[in-house]
Amino acid sequence: MSITIYDVAREANVSMATVSRVVNGNPNVKPTTRKKVLETIEELGYRPNAVARGLASKKTTTIGAIIPDISSTFFSELTRGIEDIATMYKYNIILSNSDQNKDKELHLINTMYEKQVDGIVFMGGEITEEHTNQFKTSRVPVVLAATNDQSNELPSVNIDYEQAAYEATKHLIETTKTQPALITGGDHIQNNGLKYQGYVRALKEANIELNEDYIIENESSYNGGIDGVTELLEKQGDQPKSIFVTTDEMSVGVIHGVQDKGLHVPNDIEVFGFNNTRISMMVRPTLTTIVQPMYDLGAVAMRLLTKYMNKEEVEENTVILPHRMIERDSTKSVK
């Protein structure tokens, strides 16, 4: 049988209230008594029951984090930011992988509620009415990270995806004087929709007519990048001089796909990525990309969630973090 607080109190010859104060770090315990209780706890191997404490305090000090892909370098870095701030505020994390599947996302949200989490950080693709309704059925606060809510009803932490894509596309237009191709992932729907809007805005500003043949959608992965650029280059018509890709991982696939066709990056085709994950420095040529503060997205989202959980004042529930562009060897410099 498991050791209980009653067993510790009896063995140490103190009250259960005294044991509770020691376990919870209450300073109102004599040093000699504290030492005796701690020695008894160690001797018996007692571990406080977090579930029981949660029932008593109506808090479990547990956070649910729902992410699309735990193997993604982008989301792993973002999750690290969540974890570090959660640890700072003494919260534990239950991490779940949704596979960017709406039904699984909705199931995981409900599962988090059943586990009595104090709050949820959610990362996903499209925030549907079903998502919003499910979030509204509980008093548990929710903060979105790197995920846009078009209704602006949910607290969120993002960058300006539309502006970032506009800047990337404008850079490629300035180096090539032609329309860049766009290779985009089929997931992260709303974020990629914003990137598409920025891409189109840059074309319109440069008075370049949109060529739909230059727009390719595939899965947001290395293989998706290879398949996407292969499809692009096998089309009839003029070959693009540059490609804007909505993730770094896809961009590496695009670079390799271009090289597999016997073409040179950037002399024949320039490639511009998005996120600035570690992989952007591992590929040759190194990848020009949009720097998205992945760690900060998670850390700020978690801090915002702690404010809601602790009923602190929140001045702004929609946080936009800064981004920047970093030029490397996969593109040419603007002359």
Side-chain angles (χ1 to χ4, degrees), residues 182-187 189 192 215-219 224 228 231 250:
L182 172 66
I183 296 182
T184 180
D187 51 12
I189 298 170
N192 279 345
I215 299 175
I216 303 294
E217 182 176 307
N218 212 296
E219 67 176 29
E231 178 185 346
M250 288 188 83

Side-chain angles (χ1 to χ4, degrees), residues 102-164:
K102 186 183 81 170
D103 291 337
K104 189 172 181 181
E105 287 174 347
L106 295 172
H107 170 73
L108 288 173
I109 293 167
N110 191 57
T111 299
M112 294 297 181
Y113 290 154
E114 291 176 351
K115 292 184 179 297
Q116 303 294 310
V117 295
D118 294 334
I120 294 175
V121 179
F122 182 85
M123 293 151 276
E126 182 178 13
I127 300 298
T128 66
E129 187 176 348
E130 292 171 90
H131 287 86
T132 303
N133 289 339
Q134 191 157 0
F135 288 137
K136 286 181 177 179
T137 61
S138 173
R139 295 182 180 179
V140 173
V142 176
V143 173
L144 307 180
T147 304
N148 275 281
D149 169 29
Q150 290 183 323
S151 68
N152 291 321
E153 293 184 45
L154 299 169
S156 62
V157 181
N158 290 284
I159 68 166
D160 189 337
Y161 297 101
E162 193 272 349
Q163 178 65 22

Side-chain angles (χ1 to χ4, degrees), residues 29-298:
V29 180
K30 292 180 180 180
T32 54
T33 303
R34 182 185 303 279
K35 182 174 182 294
K36 183 178 181 181
V37 170
L38 289 174
E39 288 175 348
T40 304
I41 286 173
E42 183 176 354
E43 181 182 335
L44 297 180
Y46 170 68
R47 295 292 180 272
N49 188 324
V51 175
R53 286 198 295 178
L55 290 172
S57 65
K58 296 184 180 180
K59 289 185 178 182
T60 61
T61 63
T62 302
I63 300 302
I66 300 174
I67 68 172
D69 183 4
I70 198 170
S71 66
S72 162
T73 53
F74 172 79
F75 286 110
S76 63
E77 185 70 11
L78 197 155
T79 304
R80 180 61 185 269
I82 294 172
E83 183 181 30
D84 283 354
I85 300 302
T87 300
M88 182 184 302
Y89 284 87
K90 302 188 185 309
Y91 284 97
N92 300 306
I93 292 180
I94 300 175
L95 183 63
S96 294
N97 193 83
S98 69
D99 298 320
Q100 202 72 53
N101 179 288
K102 186 183 81 170
D103 291 337
K104 189 172 181 181
E105 287 174 347
L106 295 172
H107 170 73
L108 288 173
I109 293 167
N110 191 57
T111 299
M112 294 297 181
Y113 290 154
E114 291 176 351
K115 292 184 179 297
Q116 303 294 310
V117 295
D118 294 334
I120 294 175
V121 179
F122 182 85
M123 293 151 276
E126 182 178 13
I127 300 298
T128 66
E129 187 176 348
E130 292 171 90
H131 287 86
T132 303
N133 289 339
Q134 191 157 0
F135 288 137
K136 286 181 177 179
T137 61
S138 173
R139 295 182 180 179
V140 173
V142 176
V143 173
L144 307 180
T147 304
N148 275 281
D149 169 29
Q150 290 183 323
S151 68
N152 291 321
E153 293 184 45
L154 299 169
S156 62
V157 181
N158 290 284
I159 68 166
D160 189 337
Y161 297 101
E162 193 272 349
Q163 178 65 22
Y166 162 80
E167 292 169 7
T169 307
K170 182 180 179 180
H171 177 86
L172 293 174
I173 290 172
E174 289 174 347
T175 59
T176 65
K177 313 303 179 186
T178 60
Q179 177 186 346
L182 172 66
I183 296 182
T184 180
D187 51 12
H188 317 311
I189 298 170
Q190 289 173 349
N191 287 357
N192 279 345
L194 293 170
K195 293 173 188 176
Y196 175 78
Q197 292 173 22
Y199 169 80
V200 171
R201 176 158 70 95
L203 295 181
K204 288 181 178 179
E205 186 181 271
N207 295 314
I208 296 175
E209 186 176 351
L210 178 65
N211 180 355
E212 295 286 351
D213 287 340
Y214 275 15
I215 299 175
I216 303 294
E217 182 176 307
N218 212 296
E219 67 176 29
S220 186
S221 66
Y222 170 79
N223 288 332
I226 290 180
D227 293 343
V229 76
T230 299
E231 178 185 346
L232 175 69
L233 296 179
E234 289 179 352
K235 286 187 175 185
Q236 298 297 320
D238 293 336
Q239 175 182 290
K241 294 182 180 179
S242 64
I243 305 172
F244 171 47
V245 193
T246 55
T247 72
D248 287 347
E249 189 172 347
M250 288 188 83
S251 297
V252 174
V254 168
I255 288 174
H256 290 166
V258 169
Q259 293 169 340
D260 288 346
K261 292 291 185 181
L263 300 171
H264 185 273
V265 178
N267 291 343
D268 296 316
I269 299 179
E270 298 181 45
V271 179
F272 199 123
F274 204 105
N275 288 335
N276 195 40
T277 52
R278 290 188 298 273
I279 199 172
S280 65
M281 287 294 292
M282 298 177 184
V283 67
R284 292 295 180 271
T286 54
L287 181 64
T288 294
T289 188
I290 292 294
V291 180
Q292 186 170 190
M294 298 165 288
Y295 179 92
D296 291 348
L297 284 167

